[in-house]
Amino acid sequence: MPVESGSSAAARQAKQKRKSHSLSIRRTNSTEQERSGLQRDMLEGQDSKLPLSLRSNLLDLFSQIEREFENLYIENLELRREIETLNDRLTADGQTFEGADLAKGALKTKASHSTSQLSQKLKTTYKASTSKIVSSFKATTSRAVCQLVKEYVGHRDGIWDLSVTRIQPVVLGTASADHSAMLWSIETGKCLLKYMGHQGSVNSIKFHPTEQMALTASGDQTAHIWRYMVQLPTPQPVADISQTPCEDDVDFSDKDEADGEVEGPNDCPSIRMATTTLRSHQGVVIAADWLVGGKQVVTASWDRAANLYDVETSELVHSLTGHDQELTHCCTHPTQRLVVTSSRDTTFRLWDFRDPSIHSVNVFQGHTDTVTSAVFTVGDNVVSGSDDRTVKVWDLKNMRSPIATIRTDSAVNRISVSANQKIIALPHDNRQVRLFDMSGVRLARLPRSNRQGHRRMVCCSAWCEDNTSCNLFTCGFDRQAIGWNINIPALLQEK
């Protein structure tokens, strides 16, 4: 009876494997359309805020990605089978020429060469396929560039809040726990004026929309309105700072620098008397803001109330009560008589003063921990941040549920939204600052290392829409404010 040789048996086995594998590929391709139709039916049945056309495009993109990786997987299996077949063949041939040393040497050389060729083919196939996928991603998602431009150093304690003037000259204002507020030249980083009228920590600063006046809130249970006059210094040539892409793999350091005393600005003029003092709170005044037009202001306090004052007479117009715990922030709408207050009771409230005869209030319970801030956008949205590590975007026309939710890894402090680009800047307890769009898509993270960025909790962020070298400012408990230049490519903002 004839005996089948080892090489022919191995060839027949490899042929059967390839035949079986080709059948499985045909089965996969035949069910691809059915699977796509089933996914589309499931997609239409899901409850989502995204338009159906956008969801369909996303499904097509992910289907293409899935097919690319499926092809890679199939090619990988095929190459592995070819390697196994070659090994079986070499083993059989090695048994045949076992008696000849010379044949062994030739066989080893041939095996080594063949295996090397297959290995190279495998690497080339993977590299080409994955490069094609990565290139397709790069074509649609350009990198955001975040550049640290200027550091504003001079406070002797942590900085709680900062703001930028809305009129010329454009200056930066900071509010600090060292009982002072400072005005800074954005371009030079020089202190222009220091306000020292408070007897407690200065917790917030906001500028009048049309006049050179500032509003500060303090731990001394008062809010002060004071006038300022500053002259901007001649800008000095800015040192060349290489642009830093906003990446996740920046060198981080948990080592904090020594808490040495920071020398204050040397020749900085100061003001010690307020034009107007607003008194009526029974606790720390944590925040204050101007209503549209600048004739009234609102203050938020740890006494669980927000007060509405007339600027000219200093009289209390309304006391806004209803929060169950201390207030943490207040903000006014840029064009309408609307106020939003935040509280440790996990809620924020929307107060409507558009009708002078009556004001309404709406309570929103979308968070599970302290609401650290809630701010208006230029449109009809409210963005709220919380210690529950989330930020939520709400529509004023329908605020029953958020239209977007951003989940982070750290508590969120006083957020801000860019009026022009509609980008949300999130300052965190963990010293990071992240940027998101209004739909909740992450755009960038500001670079932070042991050489640049904040070394303590980041308390607040503020955008500057004027044509200055910095368009985003952040401050923290490391006693400094930082000016950033943020360049977000249009591709990242288009949705």
Side-chain angles (χ1 to χ4, degrees), residues 137-383:
F137 277 101
K138 287 184 177 179
T140 56
T141 57
S142 300
R143 301 295 296 276
V145 176
C146 310
Q147 182 182 4
L148 189 153
V149 178
K150 188 68 65 177
E151 295 179 343
Y152 306 88
V153 180
H155 280 291
R156 296 181 177 274
D157 208 337
I159 303 176
W160 290 117
D161 196 26
L162 80 172
S163 181
V164 181
T165 57
R166 311 182 204 181
I167 59 173
Q168 297 294 333
V170 179
V171 298
L172 172 68
T174 54
S176 171
D178 65 4
H179 300 191
S180 72
M182 289 185 181
L183 304 187
W184 307 82
S185 166
I186 292 177
E187 303 297 334
T188 66
K190 179 181 178 182
C191 176
L192 305 175
L193 186 66
K194 187 175 185 179
Y195 180 72
M196 304 177 65
H198 284 290
Q199 302 300 314
S201 170
V202 184
N203 300 320
S204 80
I205 181 170
K206 288 291 184 292
F207 292 102
H208 193 278
T210 59
E211 299 183 35
Q212 292 189 4
M213 292 195 298
L215 169 66
T216 50
S218 174
D220 60 11
Q221 303 184 5
T222 67
H224 290 183
I225 298 174
W226 42 279
R227 292 187 175 272
Y228 63 90
M229 291 185 63
V230 295
Q231 184 175 0
L232 296 180
T234 304
Q236 301 295 325
V238 180
D240 183 21
I241 304 176
S242 60
Q243 293 183 339
T244 305
C246 305
E247 298 180 350
D248 286 344
D249 55 355
V250 181
D251 175 32
F252 295 103
S253 173
D254 292 331
K255 185 184 298 183
D256 295 323
E257 296 186 2
D259 294 334
E261 284 294 324
V262 178
E263 294 185 3
N266 295 326
D267 52 351
C268 181
S270 62
I271 299 176
R272 296 182 180 273
M273 294 295 295
T275 305
T276 303
T277 301
L278 306 176
R279 310 175 188 271
S280 65
H281 283 293
Q282 304 301 314
V284 169
V285 183
I286 197 65
D289 202 358
W290 304 86
L291 266 73
V292 58
K295 294 183 179 180
Q296 292 180 327
V297 300
V298 62
T299 57
S301 172
W302 284 3
D303 63 7
R304 306 183 183 183
N307 290 342
L308 187 68
Y309 294 93
D310 182 89
V311 173
E312 185 177 356
T313 64
S314 306
E315 292 182 356
L316 177 64
V317 179
H318 289 293
S319 183
L320 313 178
T321 58
H323 281 291
D324 295 331
Q325 295 187 39
E326 297 92 335
L327 272 64
T328 57
H329 191 251
C330 65
C331 180
T332 60
H333 194 280
T335 60
Q336 303 182 60
R337 290 177 56 81
L338 298 173
V339 176
V340 62
T341 55
S342 311
S343 172
R344 292 185 60 188
D345 62 9
T346 74
T347 71
F348 66 95
R349 296 181 177 230
L350 177 66
W351 310 82
D352 190 346
F353 297 100
R354 288 174 291 188
D355 187 347
S357 60
I358 187 174
H359 67 270
S360 61
V361 58
N362 293 304
V363 184
F364 302 98
Q365 301 175 339
H367 291 283
T368 59
D369 206 339
T370 297
V371 182
T372 53
S373 64
V375 298
F376 291 100
T377 67
V378 175
D380 294 326
N381 296 112
V382 173
V383 184

Side-chain angles (χ1 to χ4, degrees), residues 75-89:
E75 291 179 9
N76 183 20
L77 292 178
E78 191 68 24
L79 290 173
R80 286 180 180 275
R81 288 189 176 92
E82 290 183 14
I83 293 174
E84 291 176 359
T85 302
L86 179 61
N87 288 334
D88 293 339
R89 189 188 311 163

Side-chain angles (χ1 to χ4, degrees), residues 97-147:
F97 296 95
E98 187 174 8
D101 294 337
L102 182 60
K104 279 188 177 181
L107 179 61
K108 289 181 181 179
T109 303
K110 181 180 177 182
S112 175
H113 181 68
S114 301
T115 306
S116 176
Q117 283 184 334
L118 283 175
S119 177
Q120 187 64 32
K121 182 180 178 182
L122 182 62
K123 290 180 181 178
T124 304
T125 303
Y126 268 97
K127 188 174 182 180
S129 302
T130 54
S131 296
K132 182 169 60 177
I133 297 173
V134 172
S135 299
S136 64
F137 277 101
K138 287 184 177 179
T140 56
T141 57
S142 300
R143 301 295 296 276
V145 176
C146 310
Q147 182 182 4

